[in-house]
């Protein structure tokens, strides 16, 4: 009996610690339940800015591409980014935001692919790229946020938010 596959799309933040951890989660899900297939959408920073992550991407794609785990490279952006410790996050966010139409097009193609034996059941986004949830919402697809840091750090962040929201304390 051939069961329908449940496809997930993973969209990592394009830095090594985020990308590698999201791929590890994908591998865990696939190994735990054979009904899952996962496509990781890859956004590359220019090699001049981050050659190490680009080598990691090449290695991950070469090592882990299977029928159940695929990688799809988003089109590079055209802007010349600024790159410093202060502007890095903004630069990456701008690049990812400029690739939203590509993500939308990819999801649209996955939804209308008649030859596919899988059903798109969710989009897993990096904690720093929650703005892409709007695209999933347009298609009525559930979104899940992957928090890259450990549980203790998440607890600390939630505690600070509670101090600010519930107890009017300045946590800056």
């Amino acid at each position: 009996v051939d069961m329908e596959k449940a496809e997930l799309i993973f969209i990592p933040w394009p830095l090594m610690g985020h990308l590698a951890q999201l791929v590890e989660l994908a591998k865990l899900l696939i190994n735990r339940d054979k009904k899952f297939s996962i496509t990781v959408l890859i956004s590359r920073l220019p090699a001049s800015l981050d050659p190490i992550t680009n080598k990691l991407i090449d290695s991950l794609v070469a090592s882990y591409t299977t029928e159940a785990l695929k990688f799809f490279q988003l089109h590079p952006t055209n802007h010349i980014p600024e790159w410093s410790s202060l502007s890095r996050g903004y630069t990456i966010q701008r690049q990812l935001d400029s690739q939203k139409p590509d993500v939308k097009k990819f999801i649209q193609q996955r939804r209308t692919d008649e030859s596919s034996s899988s059903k798109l059941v969710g989009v897993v986004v990096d904690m720093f790229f929650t703005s892409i949830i709007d695209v999933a919402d347009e298609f009525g697809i559930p979104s899940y946020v992957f928090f890259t840091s450990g549980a203790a750090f998440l607890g600390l962040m939630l505690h600070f938010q509670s101090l600010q929201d519930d107890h009017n304390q300045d946590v800056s």
Side-chain angles (χ1 to χ4, degrees):
V1 178
D2 192 25
M3 70 174 146
E4 185 177 47
K5 287 261 189 191
E7 181 179 11
L8 294 168
I9 295 173
F10 280 26
I11 309 174
W13 188 252
L15 292 178
M16 187 180 336
H18 297 255
L19 183 62
Q21 289 182 8
L22 208 57
V23 170
E24 286 301 313
L25 175 64
K27 288 168 29 188
L28 286 170
L29 282 171
I30 289 167
N31 289 332
R32 184 172 181 97
D33 193 333
K34 301 301 179 205
K35 79 174 179 203
F36 283 115
S37 69
I38 296 173
T39 303
V40 180
L41 301 188
I42 301 288
S43 177
R44 283 183 188 259
L45 295 172
S48 60
L49 298 181
D50 193 359
I52 294 170
T53 299
N54 280 309
K55 287 179 183 147
L56 172 74
I57 290 169
D58 294 337
S59 172
L60 291 172
V61 170
S63 301
Y64 298 118
T65 298
T66 64
E67 195 170 315
L69 179 58
K70 294 182 173 59
F71 297 86
F72 179 81
Q73 309 262 346
L74 296 169
H75 292 102
T77 55
N78 296 329
H79 72 276
I80 310 279
E82 296 174 36
W83 194 254
S84 71
S85 59
L86 294 176
S87 67
R88 182 169 62 182
Y90 172 74
T91 300
I92 294 170
Q93 188 65 50
R94 226 174 54 202
Q95 172 171 314
L96 290 170
D97 284 341
S98 75
Q99 292 172 322
K100 274 183 172 182
D102 289 337
V103 173
K104 186 174 180 176
K105 184 177 173 186
F106 181 84
I107 291 173
Q108 180 67 44
Q109 288 171 339
R110 297 303 304 138
R111 302 257 316 196
T112 58
D113 183 0
E114 298 294 327
S115 66
S116 177
S117 63
S118 61
K119 179 181 184 205
L120 185 54
V121 296
V123 176
V124 178
V125 301
D126 188 275
M127 64 187 200
F128 288 138
F129 195 33
T130 55
S131 62
I132 199 70
I133 290 172
D134 295 344
V135 174
D137 285 349
E138 283 182 48
F139 292 101
I141 300 168
S143 300
Y144 306 92
V145 177
F146 180 70
F147 192 80
T148 314
S149 299
F153 184 66
L154 174 60
L156 180 66
M157 289 180 61
L158 292 172
H159 176 67
F160 283 146
Q161 192 69 50
S162 173
L163 288 174
Q164 182 174 317
D165 295 346
D166 303 331
H167 304 288
N168 296 320
Q169 292 187 12
D170 181 9
V171 295
S172 61

